[in-house]
Amino acid sequence: MFKAKEAAGVTVDPERIPRHVAIIMDGNGRWAQKRHLPRIAGHKQGMENVRTITRAASDLGVKVLTLYAFSTENWGRPQKEVSYLMSLPVTFFNKFVPELIDQNVRVMVMGNIDRLPESTRTATLNAVRDTADNTGMVLNFALNYGGRDEIVRATQAIATDVAAGQLQPDQIDMQAVSDRLMTAPLVH
Ligand code: FPP
């Protein structure tokens, strides 16, 4: 007989809990619009939801929770909105890293973080560093992440290994590609 797991009012069969859950954080603008609030109020609420979802996923025994927080396409949004979005990781990590440590949650990040503003990058990297020894759920933020960018980087890594004679073209299989995706470090 299984022992049901419960979190955030949901009861789940522990056998059926996915290892890795990924969430595209969408609908913030619509949420705000419905309430006659500015779009950024929706993003603020989205950030608060990260806290709730993280706790629930961790309590349910999810191993990796990936949150698509900012895509490479999101730079095209109005400057004020981009600035606000860039301030969210700073607010979030300043407020919640102690709580994440308490929950044994480890923060990781995927995407081209070199292009993020200094304050965003530092807050994120500090959170990664401060939670590096945690052994529970991985909370993986996709920041300045793009699917095409990920493919380009994986392809470059494969080409580099082939050029160096470390990989033969006929050895390029699904595993070889998986090993070079941004999700590779998450598998533990
Ligand atoms: C899309 O909603 C959402 C985003 C572009 C950003 C979402 C990310 C956060 C709120 C949290 C970031 C937090 C941390 C801690 C990194 P939308 O504006 O496209 O909404 P719509 O689909 O209703 O227009």
Side-chain angles (χ1 to χ4, degrees):
M1 205 173 94
F2 75 83
K3 180 140 173 30
K5 281 208 166 206
E6 203 189 315
V10 192
T11 308
V12 202
D13 174 353
E15 299 289 315
R16 304 189 61 204
I17 291 167
R19 262 187 70 79
H20 189 167
V21 174
I23 299 177
I24 297 173
M25 302 186 66
D26 200 10
N28 294 344
R30 277 165 287 164
W31 182 91
Q33 225 168 6
K34 255 195 192 163
R35 289 160 180 79
H36 308 287
L37 295 168
R39 291 179 64 80
I40 59 168
H43 294 319
K44 183 166 187 286
Q45 186 58 40
M47 183 197 76
E48 294 294 336
N49 283 345
V50 172
R51 182 191 190 193
T52 314
I53 292 164
T54 299
R55 183 176 285 280
S58 165
D59 287 351
L60 286 171
V62 170
K63 299 277 182 264
V64 182
L65 175 64
T66 291
L67 299 178
Y68 290 92
F70 190 88
S71 74
T72 47
E73 286 72 31
N74 287 152
W75 294 110
R77 291 186 176 225
Q79 224 271 298
K80 254 179 104 172
E81 190 176 345
V82 171
S83 296
Y84 186 76
L85 287 168
M86 286 297 138
S87 76
L88 284 178
V90 182
T91 311
F92 179 84
F93 292 127
N94 280 342
K95 221 165 147 186
F96 296 129
V97 163
E99 210 169 285
L100 297 176
I101 293 173
D102 239 31
Q103 291 168 50
N104 196 23
V105 168
R106 180 178 179 188
V107 175
M108 292 183 86
V109 63
M110 67 178 188
N112 182 4
I113 60 164
D114 294 346
R115 262 205 69 197
L116 301 179
E118 166 70 25
S119 55
T120 312
R121 193 173 56 243
T122 304
T124 306
L125 291 177
N126 286 349
V128 169
R129 182 199 61 204
D130 294 345
T131 61
D133 293 335
N134 292 352
T135 54
M137 187 180 81
V138 170
L139 175 59
N140 178 39
F141 286 98
L143 285 176
N144 194 20
Y145 168 87
R148 286 184 175 81
D149 184 44
E150 183 172 29
I151 293 169
V152 167
R153 283 161 188 265
T155 308
Q156 283 175 344
I158 287 174
T160 305
D161 288 350
V162 171
Q166 285 159 2
L167 186 72
Q168 297 307 312
D170 62 3
Q171 290 174 323
I172 302 170
D173 54 11
M174 280 193 272
Q175 192 57 51
V177 175
S178 291
D179 290 346
R180 289 159 181 84
L181 292 178
M182 290 174 184
T183 42
L186 303 173
V187 184
H188 66 272

